[in-house]
Amino acid sequence: MSKLKEQKSIPVGKVQRATKFISTGAKIGGNYLKHYSKKLVNPELSKDELHQDNASDIYNSLSELKGSALKVAQMLSMDKNLLPTAYQTQFAMAQYSAPPLSYPLVVRTFEKALRKNPNELFDTFSHSATNAASIGQVHQATAKGKVLAVKIQYPGVAESVKSDLAMVKPIALRMFKLNPAEYDEFIGEVETRLLEETDYRLELKRSIELSQQCQHIQGLTFPTYYPEYSGDRVLTMDWMEGKPLGAMFKSNAWTQSDRNRIGQALWDFYHFQIHRLRSLHADPHPGNFIITPEGKLGVIDFGCVKEIPTHFYKQYFQLLDSEILTDTERMNRVFQELRFIYPDDSAREKKFFTEVFMQLVDLLGRPFRSPRFDFSEKSYFEALYRFGEEIGQMPAFRESKRARGVKDALYINRTYYGLYNLLHELKSDVDTTSCVDFKP
Amino acid sequence: MEKTTKSKSKGTTASADNITAAYRDCLLSEGKQPASVFKFCKDQGFKESEFYQCFASFEALEKAIWKNFVETTRAKMLADASYSSFTTREKILTFYFMLAETLKTDRSFVLIQLKSWNKPGMVPPFLKGFKSSFDDWINSVLNEGKATGEIAKRPFLDDRYDVLFWLHLMFILQFWAHDQSSNFEQTDAAIEKSVNLAFDLIGKGVLDNALDFGKFLYQNSKS
């Protein structure tokens, strides 16, 4: 484990982030000004150039912003397909980037949570962090002959989530052309998830539940969690030896059968959760998985969990039915339920969005339509990305005054997006019918 | 510090601790200083001479309470075996975190005292002992830091760092007094971030290179 460099630079505060937003706002204002002054001269000018200017300014400032604001942008952009895929992959990698905590603050946070000094509770406790977690850092400890990973949360994260979300609102409204009510609905969903991520007690409860329920799935392994060493800002689990999943992407040390086995474990893990538990680990990020020396897939972070409401489950997973696209009446009903189309859309809009979403459903559902699917297939992912980019450039899509989709789909889409990408990077060939067995 | 009730202290000889606790109780319930030492002693059942044996005045008493905050914190820190192996930065962080913890048990008292401090440029009388004890400690820690090289030696400047840290401590005290976050989490973040910034400034870095370059230019312009 490499030692992380402790904070040496001036941390980014709320004020700085706020000025960042303000300067973006000013730039966008400037772009409109530029657009309208050009339009005075040339009335034919379309808004496309303006959108391009806006998108690049927004991207430039967002890529400098870290933290929850970035996550919000990431979620929204994935759903609206607004940003080009090159940006999306960058966003997908976005993590909180807080500098590591000093040792005294670690001790302080630990004492507040557990009323004891870590050196009293553990036989050893590492002075500096061994790993960064999304909103905290991990220290290695030993107790009773066991090696433990102790995750310590950065103080003030919950507050900064709230203030970031409040700041992102005016920009996002303009950027994604949502109306405020829709924005609140989507942001409410993101805010709930982000705030849940800061609640380590909840994470402990969910980690124990989900890891016990998924224990039987072949090829998976979970650490044991220790409630006696955990609190609202501290979470303790077994230290898992192994390589991060990301290391497998590029390395040649893995055979195809290794890749298939790990990929299958991932696939089964997600579909068991979706169809049986109706509650899932909604953050398929390579950093959340470890490959143990025995070649098993270790799941180490249950910070982000989405519970799937029953009515939504019924609506959404009808899309995987192979007959849905041929049965027009049923398709229209499902599309309306999922708000891909609205009853009061104009005939032109209805036709346009129906076609776009049919294509999307066809494309995204493809792995389910054959018993096995090879995720290493480049052409499939290229088609997927190209389609995403096309949608992003469709003016009708971008200028739609309404959100297309429902809030519960936000994290399910994100999970599938992440899962497909992981499997693609792993180059796995997966038995996709295994999820059928999980269906109740 | 436990609150002693009236009946307990009656009859027995009043110790400094008893008097302090009674005074604190009085100040917090009344919101202001008692009218006189005489009135205070009469109400609490002390002899006035007992009061004067321990403290010369209410101000001296307040001063002692504040000084005690620093002394308790220092003693707590030294009790931790790993303290001596800490870097200067870590020692200072530990001090602030522990001080915040100590002050938490007496927050109402601290707030009522800070409210009476209306001239920010001046050190109020009740903080004088607190300051001298802090200065004492910070100077010994800073000297250690200079010896290990963690703090840059800068002629004329580096012996004024204690002033800098005193102002810093006052900032933290004010921040904590106004902190509305649960468990004063934001104060923890403020301490961490501001100490890191302070160490960026007093450690070897940009400032030294700038000074060095300035000196070079100045010397060259003369010759």
Side-chain angles (χ1 to χ4, degrees):
Chain A
M1 290 298 148
S2 63
K3 279 197 176 174
L4 293 164
K5 198 169 152 248
E6 274 176 48
Q7 184 185 4
K8 286 260 162 68
S9 63
I10 304 165
V12 186
K14 185 177 169 181
V15 178
Q16 263 175 292
R17 286 194 226 175
T19 49
K20 202 71 232 166
F21 275 123
I22 293 164
S23 68
T24 315
K27 266 192 196 158
I28 293 177
N31 290 341
Y32 275 94
L33 209 66
K34 204 166 87 190
H35 172 72
Y36 288 114
S37 53
K38 273 189 191 168
K39 204 165 179 169
L40 279 177
V41 187
N42 176 10
E44 301 293 294
L45 195 72
S46 78
K47 270 193 170 181
D48 276 4
E49 194 187 341
L50 170 70
H51 285 304
Q52 264 166 19
D53 283 356
N54 280 356
S56 68
D57 281 342
I58 288 163
Y59 175 72
N60 284 340
S61 74
L62 279 179
S63 60
E64 281 172 50
L65 273 173
K66 297 269 159 62
S68 34
L70 189 48
K71 280 215 165 171
V72 174
Q74 178 195 332
M75 301 291 311
L76 287 171
S77 66
M78 251 152 67
D79 214 57
K80 273 221 127 186
N81 276 307
L82 188 119
L83 294 169
T85 38
Y87 298 163
Q88 284 186 7
T89 44
Q90 287 220 24
F91 279 147
M93 283 161 58
Q95 288 278 317
Y96 292 90
S97 85
L101 299 182
S102 68
Y103 182 68
L105 186 50
V106 170
V107 173
R108 166 98 170 139
T109 311
F110 195 92
E111 280 179 337
K112 272 186 176 175
L114 289 160
R115 307 192 174 283
K116 272 198 176 136
N117 188 295
N119 288 313
E120 282 174 66
L121 215 52
F122 301 119
D123 299 333
T124 64
F125 184 79
S126 67
H127 193 87
S128 43
T130 45
N131 264 339
S134 54
I135 49 169
Q137 62 189 34
V138 180
H139 286 251
Q140 198 179 44
T142 54
K144 296 174 189 151
K146 280 194 174 134
V147 186
L148 306 171
V150 184
K151 202 158 82 163
I152 310 267
Q153 191 181 108
Y154 301 134
V157 167
E159 274 86 357
S160 103
V161 166
K162 282 183 210 149
S163 74
D164 280 359
L165 289 176
M167 284 192 298
V168 83
K169 185 171 177 175
I171 289 289
L173 285 180
R174 187 167 252 176
M175 191 167 152
F176 299 104
K177 293 187 186 287
L178 292 172
N179 67 43
E182 286 165 344
Y183 177 86
D184 286 342
E185 186 186 328
F186 280 88
I187 288 306
E189 173 81 1
V190 178
E191 188 178 44
T192 315
R193 293 285 92 71
L194 286 172
L195 287 176
E196 278 176 6
E197 267 186 78
T198 65
D199 185 350
Y200 277 4
R201 281 182 198 283
L202 183 69
E203 185 175 340
L204 176 77
K205 188 175 147 266
R206 284 174 164 172
S207 303
I208 293 175
E209 279 171 14
L210 283 174
S211 58
Q212 274 170 0
Q213 286 163 323
C214 297
Q215 201 88 48
H216 68 281
I217 300 173
Q218 218 181 358
L220 284 182
T221 175
F222 298 89
T224 309
Y225 290 84
Y226 298 90
E228 67 271 36
Y229 300 140
S230 304
D232 51 358
R233 297 280 182 270
V234 179
L235 186 67
T236 303
M237 67 191 98
D238 280 333
W239 182 268
M240 272 199 153
E241 280 304 333
K243 290 202 171 77
L245 184 60
M248 198 171 180
F249 294 166
K250 296 249 151 57
S251 153
N252 293 323
W254 305 88
T255 63
Q256 190 56 44
S257 82
D258 286 331
R259 293 173 180 281
N260 292 352
R261 198 184 61 247
I262 296 286
Q264 191 68 52
L266 259 179
W267 183 269
D268 293 348
F269 174 53
Y270 279 102
H271 288 90
F272 179 74
Q273 293 177 92
I274 291 171
H275 297 293
R276 269 294 166 82
L277 307 179
R278 302 274 172 90
S279 163
L280 81 160
H281 176 278
D283 194 8
H285 178 276
N288 291 337
F289 300 95
I290 259 183
I291 300 171
T292 64
E294 303 86 56
K296 283 190 164 190
L297 183 72
V299 187
I300 52 174
D301 191 317
F302 280 101
C304 181
V305 170
K306 167 72 188 162
E307 280 162 26
I308 311 173
T310 311
H311 67 274
F312 169 73
Y313 176 86
K314 285 187 187 139
Q315 289 165 2
Y316 189 84
F317 287 96
Q318 284 184 66
L319 293 177
L320 291 184
D321 213 320
S322 47
E323 282 123 47
I324 185 100
L325 295 178
T326 45
D327 183 348
T328 321
E329 198 184 314
R330 196 167 144 222
M331 181 180 76
N332 277 335
R333 201 181 62 236
V334 177
F335 276 18
Q336 281 196 16
E337 281 170 350
L338 290 170
R339 295 207 317 219
F340 293 161
I341 48 176
Y342 287 83
D344 56 344
D345 274 340
S346 69
R348 225 178 100 235
E349 278 177 317
K350 252 185 199 148
K351 184 168 174 288
F352 172 77
F353 285 109
T354 308
E355 274 169 16
V356 168
F357 282 105
M358 269 173 78
Q359 256 180 294
L360 196 65
V361 169
D362 177 50
L363 210 52
L364 290 172
R366 201 175 291 169
F368 293 88
R369 295 205 184 89
S370 55
R372 285 196 82 81
F373 192 80
D374 186 359
F375 280 92
S376 69
E377 203 186 302
K378 267 213 179 94
S379 58
Y380 174 67
F381 279 85
E382 270 163 13
L384 210 59
Y385 294 146
R386 202 170 45 239
F387 188 65
E389 226 148 295
E390 274 170 24
I391 293 180
Q393 279 155 13
M394 284 175 196
F397 212 96
R398 231 171 13 197
E399 273 151 35
S400 162
K401 292 271 182 286
R402 289 160 152 161
R404 304 278 161 179
V406 291
K407 72 172 173 98
D408 287 311
L410 208 57
Y411 274 85
I412 307 296
N413 292 345
R414 178 193 183 203
T415 306
Y416 270 109
Y417 179 86
L419 178 64
Y420 280 19
N421 266 322
L422 281 182
L423 292 171
H424 180 51
E425 298 276 8
L426 284 169
K427 302 185 187 67
S428 304
D429 189 343
V430 169
D431 173 8
T432 56
T433 56
S434 70
C435 74
V436 175
D437 305 336
F438 296 138
K439 276 195 179 150
Chain B
M1 244 136 287
E2 304 302 300
K3 278 180 190 144
T4 349
T5 53
K6 247 196 241 176
S7 58
K8 256 189 193 165
S9 48
K10 230 173 223 172
T12 58
T13 355
S15 69
D17 280 353
N18 288 343
I19 295 175
T20 314
Y23 177 75
R24 197 191 309 252
D25 206 26
C26 209
L27 186 72
L28 292 182
S29 343
E30 300 293 321
K32 59 179 198 296
Q33 262 184 13
S36 67
V37 175
F38 171 79
K39 171 108 179 24
F40 171 68
C41 290
K42 197 175 138 202
D43 289 352
Q44 301 294 326
F46 303 137
K47 283 190 197 121
E48 218 177 328
S49 64
E50 283 172 352
F51 182 92
Y52 288 120
Q53 218 156 42
C54 302
F55 306 104
S57 62
F58 288 140
E59 282 67 36
L61 196 162
E62 287 174 353
K63 217 166 107 178
I65 296 178
W66 277 91
K67 191 180 167 82
N68 196 37
F69 288 143
V70 180
E71 309 269 292
T72 320
T73 307
R74 286 175 66 177
K76 250 199 280 179
M77 247 176 358
L78 287 173
D80 183 355
S82 47
Y83 174 73
S84 56
S85 66
F86 283 2
T87 61
T88 310
R89 182 195 297 239
E90 285 170 341
K91 280 180 181 168
I92 292 177
L93 281 167
T94 309
F95 176 83
Y96 287 147
F97 289 139
M98 284 195 171
L99 183 68
E101 196 58 36
T102 312
L103 291 179
K104 199 166 83 185
T105 56
D106 242 339
R107 186 166 161 93
S108 307
F109 173 77
V110 172
L111 290 187
I112 213 166
Q113 290 263 283
L114 286 180
K115 227 182 243 169
S116 68
W117 179 16
N118 41 23
K119 283 184 224 143
M122 301 266 290
V123 179
F126 60 83
L127 277 181
K128 286 207 167 117
F130 179 85
K131 182 173 188 302
S132 68
S133 186
F134 174 77
D135 284 347
D136 218 32
W137 175 79
I138 195 80
N139 275 314
S140 73
V141 172
L142 288 174
N143 282 331
E144 272 173 42
K146 279 179 221 164
T148 58
E150 205 184 337
I151 297 171
K153 286 200 183 92
R154 292 175 189 138
F156 311 116
L157 273 178
D158 61 5
D159 46 352
R160 311 303 304 153
Y161 285 166
D162 55 345
V163 181
L164 214 77
F165 276 96
W166 170 252
L167 294 175
H168 180 217
L169 176 60
M170 288 304 100
F171 157 76
I172 290 170
L173 204 58
Q174 290 297 341
F175 191 97
W176 176 78
H178 295 105
D179 191 356
Q180 299 295 325
S181 61
S182 61
N183 220 345
F184 308 114
E185 250 188 26
Q186 295 294 26
T187 302
D188 286 355
I191 291 174
E192 172 95 349
K193 286 168 199 288
S194 61
V195 169
N196 281 336
L197 172 62
F199 268 81
D200 281 347
L201 293 175
I202 64 172
K204 249 197 165 357
V206 186
L207 197 54
D208 296 276
N209 293 335
L211 284 174
D212 185 48
F213 184 54
K215 208 166 109 192
F216 167 80
L217 286 182
Y218 176 70
Q219 279 164 349
N220 269 284
S221 68
K222 279 204 300 191
S223 57

